[in-house]
Amino acid sequence: MSQPEHSPPAGLAGDVRGVLAITAFRRLWSTFALSSFGDWLGILATTSLAGTLATSPAAEYLAVSGIFILRLAPAIVFGPLAGALADRFNRRTVMIVGDGLRFLLICTIPLVGTLWWLYVATLLIECVGLFWAPAKEAAMPNFVPRDKLETANQLSLVADYGTAPVAALLFSGLALVNTPLHAVMPGLDASGDYLALWVDALTFLVSAVVVWTITFPPVAHEVSARAETLWRTIVDGWQFVVRTPLVRGLVAGMLGAFAAGGLVIGLAQRFVKDLGAGAAGYGVLFAMVFLGMALGMALGPRFLAGFSRRRLFGLSLTVAGAVMVVLSLIPNIVIVALVTVVLGAAGGVSWVCGYTLLGLEVEDEVRGRTFAFVQSLVRVVLVGVLAAAPLLAAGFDSLFNLPFTINIGTVSLTYTGAMVTFFVAGIATIITGVLAYRQMDDRKGVPLLSDLSDALRSNTHHDGGHEAGPHPVPGMPGATVPFAAPGGEHPAYDGLPGVFIALEGGDGAGKSTQGALLKQWLESLGRHVVVTREPGGTDAGRAIREIVLHGSHISPRAEALLYAADRAHHVESVVIPALHRGDVVITDRYIDSSVAYQGAGRDLGTDEVLQLSRWATCGLVPTLTVLLDVTPEVGRQRRGDVHDRLESEPDDFHARVREHYLQLAAADPGRYLVIDAALPPEEIHRRVRERLTPLVEVAP
C-alpha cells in the first residue's frame, strides 16, 4: 500500500516509531498506559485491602471475590448502554471527567477505610470506566493514518496488558517500603494498601491532565452500532454457537480456560497468605501470571508456527490444567512463582489460538455478535467462578478439617482449602483440554509427539535458514524486501505501493473465475489490475508450464525446481514492477501451491520447498491470499475428463494438498481468507470484495 511521505523504516520497530512520532497520539497513548497501570494497581490494592478488612478466613475469601464480582458485573448489565451513550458526548470531555472521577473515588477509599465503602467505590469506579474505555477506543482512529491503525492498536494492547506486571512489581515494592513510611505517617495502614491506592489515584489525575493538553480532531457524532441491546447480541451469538460444532467446542474450551483463570485470581490473595508471603508475594504472583501470558501470546505460536492451531488450543488447555495441579501440590512460594509463569504462558497460548480460530471459523456478518456473546458469557462465567471459588475453598476447609500439614523429613507442607480447590480446578481443566483436543483434532492419525517435534524442528530450521535483515528487490534499486518471518507474519514493503493478491486452492476450485470477477470489480474502482498465473505468466513460464503439466515424466525434485525457476522470473519481471507502479496484482497460484503440491503432495518436505520458494522470490509475500477450499471429490467432478499431470493424481494426493493448504491458512489468519469453493461464485466474490475493500478502495 502507498506510504505517507517521509515514512519510517519498514518493519515493526519502524511502524512503532512512526506512530509514536505523532505528538497527539503519543500523548493519548500515554493516558492509555497510565489508566491501565492505575487499573491493575487498583485491582491489587483493593483486593488486598478487602482481605485485610475481612473479619474471618471465610469472610476473607468472600471479600476478595466480591471485589472482582463488582468489577465485572457492571459491564454485563450496562456495557452496551455505556458504549452507546459515550458516543453521544465529546470524547475528550468523557475521558477527562472519567479520569477525574476515578481519582476522587479512589482517594475516598483510604479516607473512609471500611469494607462497605470499598465495595461502593469499586462499583462506581468500574461504571465510570465503562464510559471512558469506548471513548478512548473511538477516538484513537482519528489520531493516526489508516495504514498505521493496526500498529496503534498493538500499542494499545501493550498499554492495556503490558502494564500489569509493572503494577504488580510496584505493588510489591510499595508493600516493602510501607513499613518505614508507616512509622512516620500513621495515616497509612500496616500492609501498604493505602499507599498503593494513593499512587493509583495519582495516575488517573495525571492522565486527566495529559488529556486536557490534547486537541482532539473534530468528528461528527453518530449513534454507534453498540446501541444494539445486550439481549439481541446474546441471542444472535448463541444461535450461531449452538449450530456450529467447532465453534461450540472452541467456546466451551475458552470458557473453561477463563473459569480456571478466574478461580486462580479469586483465591490468589488467600493462597499466598497461606504460603506466608503476604502482600509482596501476592504482587509477585500477579506479575508472574501476566509475564507468562505475555510470553505465551508472543512466543508460543511463533515457536510452534507449523503446528495445528486446533491441536495447540486443546494442548495448551491441558497443560494449564496440569500446571494448576502442580501448583496445588507444592506449597512453596518460590516454586509457585516459577510454575505460575508456565500457567500464564499456557493460558496466553490458548487465548491467542481460541480467538484466532474463532476469527477463522465465524462468518464476517456474525463475527462481531459472536465475539460480543463470548465476551459477555466470559464475564458471566468469571462472576460465577469468583462467587463460587471462596465458597468451595471454605467448604473444603470445613470438610477436610484444613489446614493440614505433612512432614517429609525436614520439609513441612501445609495444605488448605484454596489448594484443594486449585487441584480440583486443575483436573477439570485437564478434562476440558482433552475433550477440546479430541473434538477439534484436524490431524487424526498423526502422533502428537511426532507432530510437535516436526513443528519445533521446522521452526529451528527456518530461523537458521535466512539471513537477517532486508534483501534487495531485483530490478528495483533502493527498494528492499525483508524475508517473511517463520509462521507467516508478513512484513510491510518499502517502495512497493501496490496490492498483491494470490488465489490458491485445489484443482477445480474456481480460481480463474474469481480472478476475472476481481479484475472487473477493481477496475470499476479505478485501480490498474495485472492478472497473471504460475506457471505461465511469462514467455519462459509458458514453456515451463508445458513441461511440468503436459510434458513427459519428470522427477518430483526437478518439478519443484522448475516451478521455483518460473516463480523467480515471474516475480522479477511481472509482479514487482507492477507493485512498484502501485497496481493490483492478482496471481493464480503462488508459493503456497508449491508448498502444498510438491511439499505435501509429492512428499518432498514442506520446509525444503518453502525455503526454495522464498529464496526464489526474495521473500515477497502476498498482501492477501484467498484460499478456495475444495474437496478432492468436488474438484474431480468440476475438472471433468480433461486432466494435466497434477490433476490426474489420485484423491489421496489431492487430500494431502488440501490439508496442507488449510494448515498454512490456520497458521497465519491475518493473511488468508478461506472460503468454501462449493459456494456460488457470486457469494465467493462478495466475500473476497468485503475483505479487500479496505485495501483497495482508494486508488494511489
Side-chain angles (χ1 to χ4, degrees):
M1 301 298 293
S2 58
Q3 300 293 323
E5 202 171 2
H6 307 302
S7 60
L12 179 59
D15 287 342
V16 169
R17 287 195 297 271
V19 172
L20 291 179
I22 303 171
T23 303
F25 173 79
R26 186 172 65 251
R27 291 180 181 175
L28 187 67
W29 181 77
S30 69
T31 68
F32 301 169
L34 276 172
S35 294
S36 296
F37 175 81
D39 275 334
W40 293 118
L41 188 60
I43 289 174
L44 288 160
T46 52
T47 51
S48 179
L49 180 60
T52 302
L53 295 175
T55 56
S56 68
E60 185 177 338
Y61 283 131
L62 296 172
V64 174
S65 290
I67 294 295
F68 285 111
I69 291 170
L70 290 172
R71 292 187 69 93
L72 292 170
I76 298 173
V77 180
F78 300 116
L81 175 63
L85 291 178
D87 261 353
R88 297 175 184 268
F89 300 109
N90 181 275
R91 291 161 183 162
R92 178 173 175 268
T93 302
V94 169
M95 293 179 68
I96 293 172
V97 172
D99 280 334
L101 286 175
R102 287 190 283 187
F103 163 73
L104 294 173
L105 287 167
I106 293 169
C107 286
T108 65
I109 295 174
L111 293 175
V112 176
T114 62
L115 185 60
W116 72 269
W117 179 249
L118 174 61
Y119 283 160
V120 172
T122 298
L123 182 64
L124 293 175
I125 290 167
E126 191 62 28
C127 288
V128 171
L130 290 178
F131 290 85
W132 190 94
K136 178 262 288 188
E137 295 292 349
M140 186 170 62
N142 299 319
F143 284 85
V144 296
R146 184 183 184 90
D147 62 333
K148 300 298 182 187
L149 183 57
E150 183 178 11
T151 303
N153 284 327
Q154 289 176 315
L155 284 170
S156 181
L157 284 175
V158 170
D160 284 341
Y161 296 102
T163 52
V166 181
L169 292 175
L170 178 63
F171 179 76
S172 298
L174 291 174
L176 294 174
V177 303
N178 184 73
T179 301
L181 289 176
H182 179 59
V184 296
M185 300 176 64
L188 297 177
D189 63 324
S191 63
D193 297 328
Y194 286 179
L195 179 60
L197 285 169
W198 289 119
V199 175
D200 179 23
L202 184 62
T203 64
F204 289 107
L205 179 62
V206 173
S207 177
V209 172
V210 174
V211 175
W212 184 276
T213 67
I214 302 172
T215 300
F216 278 47
V219 293
H221 292 295
E222 298 179 354
V223 178
S224 169
R226 283 173 290 192
E228 181 182 59
T229 65
L230 178 62
W231 174 249
R232 184 70 261 165
T233 299
I234 289 177
V235 169
D236 289 348
W238 173 255
Q239 288 175 344
F240 183 81
V241 169
V242 166
R243 66 173 180 260
T244 311
L246 177 60
V247 176
R248 198 164 59 231
L250 269 173
V251 171
M254 292 172 70
L255 292 179
F258 276 104
L263 187 141
V264 171
I265 292 171
L267 295 179
Q269 199 269 345
R270 178 54 192 265
F271 179 61
V272 295
K273 183 178 179 180
D274 292 338
L275 295 176
Y282 179 40
V284 169
L285 200 64
F286 200 88
M288 292 300 101
V289 169
F290 281 94
L291 175 62
M293 286 185 65
L295 292 173
M297 290 179 182
L299 302 180
R302 181 178 296 274
F303 277 115
L304 294 170
F307 192 67
S308 162
R309 289 302 180 261
R310 297 189 185 188
R311 279 190 160 191
L312 187 56
F313 177 73
L315 182 62
S316 59
L317 276 178
T318 306
V319 170
V323 173
M324 286 185 69
V325 171
V326 173
L327 200 68
S328 70
L329 295 176
I330 308 177
N332 176 280
I333 186 60
V334 176
I335 295 176
V336 164
L338 295 175
V339 171
T340 301
V341 176
V342 182
L343 176 63
V349 171
S350 64
W351 190 92
V352 169
C353 291
Y355 274 85
T356 298
L357 289 168
L358 271 182
L360 282 173
E361 299 297 333
V362 178
E363 299 295 340
D364 185 72
E365 56 266 25
V366 295
R367 189 176 297 144
R369 296 180 179 187
T370 303
F371 273 103
F373 163 73
V374 171
Q375 290 164 359
S376 297
L377 197 56
V378 161
R379 289 180 177 270
V380 171
V381 168
L382 281 175
V383 169
V385 168
L386 289 170
L391 297 177
L392 283 172
F396 285 132
D397 275 340
S398 176
L399 180 63
F400 298 115
N401 195 27
L402 300 174
F404 178 75
T405 301
I406 298 176
N407 295 310
I408 305 175
T410 59
V411 178
S412 295
L413 302 176
T414 300
Y415 295 96
T416 65
M419 297 172 190
V420 175
T421 307
F422 280 173
F423 180 83
V424 173
I427 297 297
T429 305
I430 290 174
I431 294 172
T432 301
V434 171
L435 291 176
Y437 179 91
R438 291 173 63 88
Q439 180 173 346
M440 299 170 58
D441 185 10
D442 57 350
R443 301 268 289 163
K444 295 186 184 299
V446 178
L448 174 61
L449 292 179
S450 173
D451 205 14
L452 269 173
S453 176
D454 288 344
L456 290 170
R457 187 168 59 250
S458 170
N459 182 72
T460 303
H461 184 55
H462 285 324
D463 286 345
H466 302 308
E467 182 183 349
H471 293 249
V473 177
M476 295 294 159
T480 60
V481 181
F483 269 123
E489 294 185 5
H490 52 291
Y493 296 96
D494 272 355
L496 299 177
V499 179
F500 186 21
I501 304 164
L503 300 176
E504 295 283 5
D507 295 300
K511 298 182 296 301
S512 299
T513 300
Q514 292 306 314
L517 291 173
L518 267 181
K519 182 177 187 294
Q520 181 180 1
W521 170 64
L522 289 167
E523 289 179 339
S524 73
L525 298 178
R527 300 303 300 258
H528 188 273
V529 183
V530 174
V531 178
T532 185
R533 67 176 180 174
E534 290 188 357
T538 63
D539 290 341
R542 282 185 280 278
I544 292 175
R545 184 182 184 88
E546 184 64 27
I547 294 172
V548 295
L549 295 182
H550 305 290
S552 58
H553 173 73
I554 57 175
S555 70
R557 290 182 182 276
E559 181 181 270
L561 289 168
L562 284 169
Y563 276 115
D566 167 73
R567 184 163 295 122
H569 182 58
H570 180 234
V571 166
E572 180 175 351
S573 60
V574 176
V575 178
I576 288 181
L579 294 177
H580 188 70
R581 295 192 302 267
D583 297 346
V584 179
V585 178
I586 303 172
T587 180
D588 183 338
R589 298 200 181 281
Y590 190 54
I591 288 177
D592 292 345
S593 285
S594 288
V595 177
Y597 276 86
Q598 280 73 51
R602 298 290 195 207
D603 289 324
L604 291 180
T606 56
D607 296 336
E608 290 77 5
V609 174
L610 179 59
Q611 293 254 19
L612 175 64
S613 294
R614 282 179 169 172
W615 177 81
T617 61
C618 290
L620 181 65
V621 180
T623 311
L624 175 69
T625 298
V626 178
L627 173 57
L628 302 177
D629 180 33
V630 63
T631 64
E633 296 77 17
V634 171
R636 186 177 63 252
Q637 293 170 4
R638 290 182 175 183
R639 293 192 301 270
D641 296 329
V642 179
H643 303 290
D644 59 36
R645 286 198 317 110
L646 289 178
E647 291 171 342
S648 61
E649 293 289 344
D651 281 357
D652 62 341
F653 172 90
H654 291 285
R656 291 195 301 274
V657 170
R658 181 195 182 207
E659 179 185 3
H660 198 75
Y661 266 135
L662 293 174
Q663 289 178 23
L664 290 170
D668 189 10
R671 184 169 65 83
Y672 285 83
L673 172 63
V674 182
I675 303 176
D676 184 356
L679 293 171
E682 296 78 11
E683 173 63 16
I684 295 174
H685 179 57
R686 183 191 69 78
R687 297 188 185 188
V688 176
R689 283 201 325 264
E690 188 176 75
R691 179 70 174 269
L692 274 175
T693 295
L695 300 175
V696 299
E697 60 187 0
V698 179

